[in-house]
Amino acid sequence: MFTNRPHSKGPRSRALAAALSAVTAVSVLAGCAGGSSGGGDGGGNADATLTVWTDDTRQPAVEAYVRAHPQARVKVVLTSYKAGEVAQKIALADRAGKGWPDVVFLGSPSDVSALAAAPLRFAQPLDELVPEQTRRQFAKGTLEGCTYEGKLFCLANDTAPVVLWTNETLMKQFGYSVPTTWAEYRELGVRLGKEHPGYVIGGINDVSGYGAFFGGSGCPDRETTGPTDIRIDLADPRCTRVAELLQPLVENGTVTASSPWDPTFTEEVGKKNTILMYPAAGWFGEYGFKGSYKIPDGQLAAHPVPAWTGDSTATTGAMGGGLWVVSRHSRNVKGAADIATWLTTSDAPEGIVAASALPAHTPTAQKWCAARAADRFYAADPCPAMLDAAGRIAENYDYIRFEGQFADSYAQTFVATASRKGDLAGALPVWQKQLVQAAENAGYKVSR
């Protein structure tokens, strides 16, 4: 993030420490293989072919690296990025004694905890492979979750703080003002439901919901408090106020339980331009409104998220923020580290500056922002709100080892209740029970 959080050791770092201090569930898969063996010749074979696991969003950047380095031998492999799946695939490679990637993209940042921890110990420390000057160029806070006991285990691809996206054309047409508090947000939603039914001001499905609303509220649903300790307390006022905020908006349909990526939502809401506002990550402007919904130019703007009544400052949540990890099994760890460095820092036209998310590397982010400021798609430069939000992510929105189970339990309880317009406050105890079970299964001691 571009401004540091007011604590000496950030939550991402605390969460990584927790994972590195405990045996995770992937040990069952890893078995005795354990990931203890290194590359065949100590990682110094400059002629070795390097395998990069990536998703389709990052694929163009990887291919741009290949074109920029014709002498490099690189094999690009598309792979799944659901939380926990990369660790499972690495564990299977450990059992086989082969098949590890040299570089891997983590679309679920929490997975770095398992990759750096025993029994996998997959992640290669990068301190001697990435120059200190380069490391210092990353925005403050973005490498916190990559660092444990002074060692750097990954490079941050991007940062994904939540902002309040608004359709300025619709706001002006309806005569509404951008809410600065969540109370105003709720009042606007109630008013919108009566005056312009069919329009929406947000969604609670997947990370769009728990990242934007619960995460931004500081709800202790994933607050790591020690190496193997976590606090989960959905009865905390910072959690219950989210349910109270959303209840009337879910009931009148201005906050939807549909996924923003559901084809029906895309066609019936997104492309019909009936989203008045939407709390979501910075990348949602490029990937959602511009890429998927294709709303007209000059309508979309980014604003700071509203503040909660009684809070001295507004805090926000996050929706992603990818990481690149280098394998300690690589036969050419220097070459692999060079790929990860280029992918996160290059200003090549088809590199990260062309991606939908705000780069974590500060000089590259400045060029990314310059392109957004000149983009006619936006009603105003969205970067000031994004950069401000990057320093406001709630301190207890931590990396956890059960990210996939967290999302599943949220969908099965809170989202399911919202889908039938049920009692959201009543869903919290049910979600609490499932979260506690998932955390205990992942090796945490849970407190409230």
Side-chain angles (χ1 to χ4, degrees), residues 52-360:
V52 180
W53 284 5
T54 183
D55 62 354
D56 54 1
T57 302
R58 257 57 51 170
Q59 182 181 6
V62 179
E63 293 174 344
Y65 171 86
V66 174
R67 288 192 295 272
H69 301 80
Q71 78 286 358
R73 298 180 179 181
V74 179
K75 178 182 179 181
V76 182
V77 177
L78 294 181
T79 192
S80 174
Y81 282 96
K82 290 183 180 179
E85 288 192 5
V86 169
Q88 291 174 1
K89 291 178 180 179
I90 296 301
L92 291 173
D94 282 353
R95 292 185 65 180
K98 61 181 180 180
W100 300 284
D102 296 272
V103 185
V104 60
F105 177 76
L106 299 182
S108 178
S110 291
D111 284 351
V112 69
S113 57
L115 297 188
L120 298 183
R121 298 193 185 280
F122 169 83
Q124 166 70 39
L126 300 175
D127 306 86
E128 303 300 322
L129 297 169
V130 179
E132 181 180 0
Q133 181 179 359
T134 300
R135 285 181 271 135
R136 287 181 175 178
Q137 290 178 333
F138 281 81
K140 291 181 180 179
T142 55
L143 296 186
E144 275 187 346
C146 292
T147 305
Y148 173 67
E149 291 186 345
K151 292 183 179 180
L152 182 71
F153 287 96
C154 54
L155 293 178
N157 184 78
D158 59 277
T159 183
V162 173
V163 296
L164 182 63
W165 291 106
T166 63
N167 186 309
E168 297 294 282
T169 300
L170 292 176
M171 291 290 285
K172 183 177 180 180
Q173 178 182 333
F174 296 165
Y176 297 152
S177 298
V178 177
T180 58
T181 67
W182 286 112
E184 292 176 355
Y185 176 89
R186 180 171 55 190
E187 292 171 3
L188 188 151
V190 171
R191 181 180 171 188
L192 180 69
K194 295 176 180 178
E195 298 175 351
H196 304 282
Y199 286 82
V200 301
I201 63 168
I204 63 167
N205 199 289
D206 57 52
V207 70
S208 302
Y210 65 77
F213 292 107
F214 286 96
S217 180
C219 171
D221 54 16
R222 52 166 65 217
E223 184 177 309
T224 58
T225 57
T228 57
D229 302 310
I230 190 169
R231 180 180 177 222
I232 301 174
D233 184 8
L234 300 186
D236 187 287
R238 291 170 294 174
C239 307
T240 57
R241 67 184 180 183
V242 174
E244 294 170 1
L245 166 77
L246 295 173
Q247 187 70 53
L249 308 182
V250 165
E251 290 177 356
N252 74 1
T254 56
V255 168
T256 176
S258 298
S259 168
W261 314 118
D262 183 273
T264 300
F265 182 91
T266 297
E267 294 297 326
E268 298 299 322
V269 180
K271 290 186 177 181
K272 289 188 176 180
N273 205 11
T274 56
I275 300 176
L276 179 67
M277 62 179 63
Y278 208 99
W283 52 258
F284 201 84
E286 293 285 313
Y287 195 70
F289 287 102
K290 186 178 185 180
S292 296
Y293 308 151
K294 304 184 185 305
I295 71 169
D297 288 353
Q299 297 190 5
L300 189 68
H303 298 273
V305 294
W308 290 94
T309 301
D311 288 1
S312 57
T313 59
T315 56
T316 189
M319 292 169 56
L323 308 172
W324 288 97
V325 175
V326 171
S327 170
R328 53 187 296 274
H329 300 282
S330 177
R331 290 186 296 158
N332 182 8
V333 292
K334 183 180 183 302
D338 287 345
I339 292 177
T341 302
W342 191 93
L343 290 171
T344 54
T345 66
S346 174
D347 60 359
E350 294 177 304
I352 193 172
V353 292
S356 59
L358 177 69

